[in-house]
Amino acid sequence: MRLLLVGPPGAGKGTQARRLAEEMGVPHIASGDLLRAAIGAGTKLGLEAKSYVDRGDLAPDVVVVRIVSDRLTEPDASAFVLDGFPRTKEQALALDNVLAKLDLPLEQVIHLEVPDDEIVERLAARRYCPECHRAYHMLHDPPRSDEVCDDDGSKLARRPDDEPHTVRHRLAVQYHEPIGPLLNHYKDRGILVSVEGVGTVEEVAERVAKVAEEFR
Ligand code: AP5
Ligand code: MG
């Protein structure tokens, strides 16, 4: 199964993609996680992306397309759950090219829909694990032990781009502006499904699993 999750920042793409990828036994490939890892490691691509990520702007296509396509050409990536890339129609065309060369076309796109106000609230209470990238919400999806990752014991951190004014900016430039043409691209191919992203993590996971199952 080769599946893509799209949606606004804080929609729960990472939370749901991680679970789905685990269930399907395939890698979870998240552009944001790959970018933060490159920034943390101080690579050339990471340095090029850093100021954009800090401001909540889209990182340049050359950087994002390169980072994601490098990951997609690794041997374990014949099936995957992709999260956060593409987010513009131009990026979708670039991804189509990469996957056509690998003969691994995208099979399903799930659009997680969540209203803006809920997103600002979610991201204000988000913590994430800098090691494994797992996201928590201090009220709705907290770690078992305060501020420590359940999976690897790392100290949880806040993302600098989760400040409310940066979140509003991310919503405007990375979601509301580009989402229409991106969704139309996949609608025309008949592989787009929308899923209501409001509800508990479990409720949303059940909806996502159900539509993913129908496509298999
Ligand atoms: P990225 O890391 O992808 O950020 P994003 O798209 O803004 O999405 P988030 O990771 O913030 O949210 P999410 O949907 O994964 O939600 P999560 O599961 O964590 O990208 C970061 C930056 O990199 C971008 O700003 C940009 O600069 C750059 N970038 C990345 N991709 C790019 C691209 N393609 N092109 C150009 N630049 C790119 O959940 C959020 C919170 O809500 C958590 O606290 C979680 O616990 C909680 N939560 C989840 N589900 C629920 C629920 N059902 N109810 C209540 N709380 C919930
Ligand atoms: Mg994420």
Side-chain angles (χ1 to χ4, degrees), residues 8-15 17 28 30-33 36 83-84 87 123 126 133 135 159 170:
K13 302 183 297 295
T15 302
H28 166 208
S31 52
D33 293 343
R36 279 183 292 280
D83 151 15
R87 45 187 92 185
L123 294 185
R126 171 163 61 183
H133 309 290
R159 273 174 50 176
R170 285 161 60 198

Side-chain angles (χ1 to χ4, degrees), residues 18 23 26 40 50 66 70 96 106 128 130 150 157:
R18 195 178 142 269
E23 279 161 25
V26 303
K50 186 177 184 322
R66 162 64 42 189
D70 282 353
D96 288 347
L106 205 55
Y128 87 106
D150 290 353

Side-chain angles (χ1 to χ4, degrees), residues 5 23 41 43 51-52 64 70-71 109 153 166-167 194 201 211:
L5 280 184
E23 279 161 25
T43 66
S51 63
Y52 296 87
V64 188
D70 282 353
R71 179 65 187 87
V109 178
T166 313
V167 171
S194 283
V201 171
V211 298

